[in-house]
Amino acid sequence: AETETTPAVVRAAAAAAAETTPAGVGVVTDDGDTEAAEARKRSSTARSSTFDRFHGMYLCSMGSPCPSYSASFLTSKEQLVSTPVTETRMRKANTNMETASYFTMGQRNKYDVWRTVDALDFTVEHLSMYERMLHSQFMARESKIADAAYEVFLARLRRYDASLRRRCDGGTTGKKRLGRYGARTVGVMPFYAAGGAGSGHTRRESKALYLNITIRSIRCHFRSVAVSCLHPGDKEYLERGEGLPRIDDIIWVDPTTLPVSKPSFLGLATIRELQRRFSDNDENNNNNESDTFSSSSSSSS
């Protein structure tokens, strides 16, 4: 139930979830049982399926036993800019990709962190987790089994990418109506692929597919997507755009401005650059910029 104290971003998520009536859910109208009958025809099992309904959210505070950390999160512009990323914070040796999430969520009792009751109501799949399980960066050099498994994995990624391309109309909103919150939300994701060589436990081929899949899946729900990078080769790849979905903005993080030029600083540096841009836009455009923001680090592993 929405109350005066419910955070705006939670109201936005609830409103977005309620914008369409799920298949299999009957609605009582002046026409009697017409809609309910049509719902029964669509599926005899859908009425009892939990995935057809939004189950709400619960408070999951930082520092509590609740697992509040998430590599991908939905937040407001107000929260994003409220705690500036200082030079002192950027110089901390323990900065890693996860720092961006921890920093944005804040310390205990600073911000309310909400999670969906059903984890799949708002979730981002960690694609590279599967590749880590295959040890593809290392095992494939010695194991024909790992090589074969990796090829099957790539084939599934390609099918997933093709499905998203069809469903989201190649990165446009023509076939999918976005709600007013989706139209006012910007998806931002860091990307590091060492100029195409791959990184960490991820090979070059799968890294490129992760990027495409993440952009397209974000654009299924939100109108705009920006990608940040700090490697010159990655910047060139994004600007060239061959085989890529549409990217609305490329956020270049100059590695010379970082205390150490390494990908673990990219997440927090991206937050810093977003804060700078929002601040400049507020001054120049009289607060007319997007006020909701989604961050995803799915392609930065």
Side-chain angles (χ1 to χ4, degrees):
E2 186 175 315
T3 68
E4 291 297 324
T5 58
T6 305
V9 70
V10 177
R11 296 200 300 271
E19 282 190 341
T20 58
T21 302
V25 178
V27 179
V28 178
T29 68
D30 292 337
D31 297 328
D33 293 334
T34 302
E35 291 193 28
E38 290 178 354
R40 285 193 294 271
K41 289 180 182 179
R42 284 195 293 269
S43 173
S44 60
T45 59
R47 295 190 305 278
S48 61
S49 299
T50 61
F51 57 78
D52 279 330
R53 301 189 298 275
F54 179 62
H55 291 77
M57 310 179 84
Y58 66 95
L59 190 62
C60 187
S61 301
M62 291 286 290
S64 71
C66 180
S68 56
Y69 169 75
S70 177
S72 303
F73 51 87
L74 181 69
T75 187
S76 65
K77 170 187 170 184
E78 179 184 7
Q79 179 170 335
L80 186 76
V81 302
S82 63
T83 307
V85 179
T86 64
E87 291 300 321
T88 300
R89 182 63 192 85
M90 285 298 300
R91 285 196 294 269
K92 288 193 174 183
N94 63 346
T95 298
N96 54 30
M97 283 302 299
E98 289 76 12
T99 302
S101 179
Y102 285 121
F103 188 86
T104 304
M105 294 299 104
Q107 303 301 316
R108 184 193 293 265
N109 300 324
K110 184 170 184 179
Y111 297 116
D112 287 340
V113 179
W114 296 80
R115 295 190 61 171
T116 54
V117 173
D118 185 337
L120 297 181
D121 277 346
F122 183 72
T123 186
V124 176
E125 191 172 14
H126 190 175
L127 292 173
S128 63
M129 171 189 70
Y130 303 111
E131 193 167 2
R132 178 179 295 179
M133 293 168 64
L134 289 173
H135 299 285
S136 66
Q137 244 336 29
F138 307 101
M139 286 181 61
R141 301 170 187 171
E142 305 171 358
S143 170
K144 291 183 179 180
I145 294 178
D147 231 3
Y150 181 69
E151 289 304 318
V152 172
F153 178 57
L154 280 183
R156 292 190 176 185
L157 286 178
R158 293 186 186 106
R159 287 199 297 271
Y160 190 18
D161 183 38
S163 173
L164 285 171
R165 189 187 305 116
R166 290 191 300 269
R167 191 170 62 188
C168 301
D169 195 21
T172 70
T173 58
K175 292 184 179 179
K176 181 178 175 64
R177 181 182 63 84
L178 294 178
R180 61 192 179 101
Y181 292 104
R184 295 168 57 193
T185 304
V186 180
V188 182
M189 54 176 292
F191 175 68
Y192 182 80
S199 60
H201 52 268
T202 306
R203 287 196 200 176
R204 177 183 59 80
E205 297 91 342
S206 46
K207 177 72 74 171
L209 283 165
Y210 295 159
L211 177 65
N212 287 12
I213 288 169
T214 305
I215 292 173
R216 288 193 170 105
S217 61
I218 290 176
R219 202 179 292 283
C220 277
H221 305 284
F222 306 128
R223 175 168 293 171
S224 303
V225 179
V227 181
S228 67
C229 59
L230 57 71
H231 191 286
D234 294 342
K235 182 172 182 285
E236 181 184 350
Y237 174 70
L238 294 172
E239 289 178 338
R240 193 166 63 247
E242 295 178 7
L244 292 174
R246 179 171 60 88
I247 299 173
D248 296 283
D249 193 13
I250 299 170
I251 301 173
W252 171 243
V253 174
D254 187 348
T256 63
T257 65
L258 302 178
V260 181
S261 181
K262 61 179 184 178
S264 59
F265 280 81
L266 180 56
L268 193 61
T270 300
I271 298 294
R272 181 179 64 174
E273 177 61 17
L274 289 171
Q275 290 177 342
R276 184 192 67 77
R277 290 188 179 203
F278 274 132
S279 177
D280 290 347
N281 285 334
D282 283 348
E283 293 176 6
N284 298 331
N285 300 325
N286 195 24
N287 297 316
N288 286 328
E289 297 301 309
S290 301
D291 61 357
T292 310
F293 153 88
S294 169
S295 173
S296 175
S297 57
S298 300
S299 284
S300 59
S301 301

